[in-house]
Amino acid sequence: MTQTLTLPRPDDWHLHLRDGAVLRAVLPETARHFARAIIMPNLVPPVVTSGDAAAYRDRILAALPTGMDFTPLMTLYLTEQTDPDDVAHAHASGLITAVKLYPAGATTNSTSGVRDFDKVRAVLDRMAEIGLPLCVHGEVTDAEIDIFDREAVFIDRVLDPLRRATPGLRVIMEHTTTRDGVEYVKANDSGLAATITTHHLIINRNDILAGGIRPHYYCLPVAKREEHRLALREAATSGDPRFFLGTDSAPHTDPNKESACGCAGCFTATNTLSILAETFEQEGALAHLEGFVSRNGPGFYGLPVNSETLTLTRGAPITYPATIDTEDGPITLFDPKMPLHWRVD
Ligand code: DOR
Ligand code: ZN
């Protein structure tokens, strides 16, 4: 008997679309399956004002192939110069859905991020007042902190004090990679959620480093030890509404990944739903897939669940292309190293 799974159309609560040729190539990969996505603002230069966000939204919509239905949920990149009034205006007009906090230097194109949290206090206070969520890249950047500890240290030194200082602020701990992150979310009742990526459910740090260095598994936050991957799988498949999908699908062309100093990012837009269905099936939790990809995100953001549906069908293993071609060069698709039986109809 054919096994099928019909869900409200999923959303991606953390996505990098880039610009220009890469945007044109990767946007259909997401729009084919996802109704909406939170669009990361770390372009060069970053999306810092409402004017930048409106212009970027228009470029995304212009790149959307005819007949595809997709809504980009725009974000502003928080800097020490961000104007609380501009943020409030962008929120009131429906232009933005969240603001993104990058600690300066934490990851790709984050040099304009925040160094002194006192300088963004007025923006955070205003966001709490108007109910605008903050998406957080949760890693400290101090050179003396080991890269594998940067998320856990961020929770203690930055995230928890920040949330205590701004109690009404709704916070999404993005791409959480540790048991510490999962436990922090579980221990806090309201106003805090976490996104989990597809790739962090599949790989641990051995996949990047053992038996040769594999740049296509390198992303930030970097994948941690196996115990952390298992904690993420438990959280994602548990049905707990505080955890939902943010793929962090982050395209870089192959020459930029396969380099002496390669870029961070796994490109997962194309095969994410097949990988997740396989993963939830392995965990005996297919019934919770709908919450993770279609319901928990809109629940936290206070948005409606999509009314259209998407159907997954289980059958013989399917193959995805190894790369997506762009005018700037090929982009390697994340390889989950397991057969995928669920295809999106
Ligand atoms: O792996 C990552 N890639 N992590 C990030 O935080 C940024 C992203 C990117 O923009 O490439
Ligand atoms: Zn990201």
Side-chain angles (χ1 to χ4, degrees), residues 319-332:
T319 48
Y320 282 95
T323 59
I324 301 294
D325 286 323
T326 84
E327 288 164 32
D328 289 351
I331 292 169
T332 291

Side-chain angles (χ1 to χ4, degrees), residues 94-138:
L95 173 64
I96 61 164
T97 304
V99 169
K100 172 72 187 241
L101 164 64
Y102 287 106
T107 186
T108 311
N109 306 334
S110 62
T111 40
S112 316
V114 177
R115 276 164 230 279
D116 178 355
F117 284 83
D118 287 338
K119 296 204 171 127
V120 295
R121 175 115 327 276
V123 181
L124 299 181
D125 286 342
R126 182 71 79 85
M127 289 171 62
E129 208 179 292
I130 63 180
L132 179 62
L134 180 72
C135 295
V136 177
H137 183 109

Side-chain angles (χ1 to χ4, degrees), residues 16 18 42 107-108 137 175 219-220 248 250 252 264-265:
H16 297 270
R18 317 298 190 205
N42 62 333
T107 186
T108 311
H137 183 109
H175 42 50
C219 65
L220 288 171
D248 197 13
H252 294 278

